[in-house]
Amino acid sequence: MNLFKRTKKTTDERIENVGNKIYREMYHVIMAICLISFVVKMYKYGAGIEEVVLELVILIGGGVYFLARSIFLGVFWDEVEMHDRTSKTSMSMKTIFSSIGLAFIIAVVMGINSAVSYADSSSQGLWYFTLVSFVSVIIYLPILLLLFGGIYLLAKKVSMRNQEDDKEL
Amino acid sequence: MKNMKLKLARVEKDLSQEELAKIVGVSRQTIGLIESGKYNPSLSLCINICKALSRTLNDLFWEEEEK
């Protein structure tokens, strides 16, 4: 009886590759469904976080998992290397610029929000906008620089360690 | 680009696509797609195909540059 004899499982790399492609597409479909659900719930129930917490966990969790895996497998730094080979502006500069840009966008949005919501006159609105925007930049700029810069430096460190391991072979 | 060298080597060995696929451990369609040039196999699959057909990588997968 060969019923319980273990047979060597053969895998077809093409089927695996196509399967991986389908998984990738499936991830995009799931993200799109979550995003639609998020927007619909926000529209339907208002800006409460309780209704959309699952969607946020899936959207952010998926992104964080992808980022962490790509950093620790060294793919993130490989992409940086490929980018720097062809682009005039290096990824480190782009990281700094995008952190500054994002901090200013957040500051402007918060400034407009406070001016529209709390100011009684236009001069008071301008004062609120300037004050809140300035404070927002002071708060968010270091946080975003630390976050993006930290990710960048962590990816670099992991890649350097992997390179050391490769040299030992 | 079609891989006629692979197809010829397989026919010379008197193997069908399905038989070669069984020996190598892939599906028949994969062999068909490699022969028609629609799928780029990995190096390990190329080596397995070469071993099954008693040929070298040069014989089956090296393209001479056109001058």
Side-chain angles (χ1 to χ4, degrees):
Chain A
M1 285 283 280
N2 282 340
L3 202 62
F4 299 106
K5 193 182 170 189
R6 281 188 75 176
T7 50
K8 194 188 168 194
K9 197 186 174 198
T10 52
T11 51
D12 185 327
E13 61 177 40
R14 187 182 62 86
I15 296 171
E16 250 181 43
N17 290 345
V18 175
N20 290 341
K21 199 179 162 194
I22 296 168
Y23 280 131
R24 198 168 60 195
E25 289 165 1
M26 191 175 77
Y27 175 76
H28 289 130
V29 171
I30 291 169
M31 287 295 135
I33 291 169
C34 275
L35 202 63
I36 291 165
S37 169
F38 177 81
V39 172
V40 168
K41 278 186 178 174
M42 285 296 245
Y43 180 73
K44 209 172 168 183
Y45 303 116
I49 195 132
E50 284 157 23
E51 286 84 8
V52 291
V53 72
L54 184 66
E55 283 83 352
L56 279 178
V57 166
I58 295 169
L59 285 168
I60 296 169
V64 168
Y65 181 78
F66 179 84
L67 187 67
R69 287 290 286 165
S70 61
I71 286 173
F72 288 105
L73 290 173
V75 184
F76 184 90
W77 193 253
D78 294 344
E79 276 187 34
V80 172
E81 190 183 315
M82 293 301 289
H83 171 273
D84 286 355
R85 203 176 288 172
T86 50
S87 179
K88 281 178 187 169
T89 318
S90 68
M91 190 58 105
S92 55
M93 290 309 288
K94 276 188 181 174
T95 307
I96 294 168
F97 289 147
S98 56
S99 305
I100 295 169
L102 196 59
F104 273 96
I105 289 169
I106 292 171
V108 167
V109 169
M110 292 187 99
I112 290 171
N113 180 47
S114 65
V116 170
S117 304
Y118 305 112
D120 295 323
S121 62
S122 57
S123 60
Q124 197 181 28
L126 194 67
W127 169 241
Y128 279 8
F129 173 79
T130 314
L131 191 70
V132 172
S133 298
F134 180 71
V135 173
S136 295
V137 167
I138 299 284
I139 293 169
Y140 285 104
L141 189 58
I143 291 173
L144 289 172
L145 276 175
L146 275 176
L147 183 70
F148 289 141
I151 290 169
Y152 186 85
L153 291 174
L154 178 68
K156 189 176 181 179
K157 197 178 169 187
V158 169
S159 174
M160 293 300 146
R161 201 182 59 202
N162 289 348
Q163 277 181 17
E164 288 300 314
D165 291 346
D166 293 343
K167 278 178 192 168
E168 284 171 16
L169 289 174
Chain B
M1 194 190 283
K2 282 188 177 181
N3 192 337
M4 291 307 289
K5 291 174 183 173
L6 173 58
K7 193 171 185 177
L8 283 172
R10 177 175 61 75
V11 173
E12 275 176 24
K13 265 266 183 181
D14 205 21
L15 288 171
S16 66
Q17 282 187 347
E18 195 162 4
E19 286 165 335
L20 177 60
K22 268 187 184 171
I23 296 167
V24 178
V26 294
S27 65
R28 189 201 61 77
Q29 285 88 338
T30 299
I31 298 294
L33 288 169
I34 295 169
E35 284 185 358
S36 61
K38 289 175 185 164
Y39 177 67
N40 276 332
S42 69
L43 183 57
S44 61
L45 179 53
C46 290
I47 291 170
N48 285 343
I49 291 171
C50 288
K51 281 178 180 170
L53 297 175
S54 314
R55 298 293 171 98
T56 64
L57 284 168
N58 258 4
D59 293 339
L60 298 184
F61 294 102
W62 187 255
E63 295 285 339
E64 289 295 333
E65 278 183 43
E66 285 176 31
K67 286 176 185 173

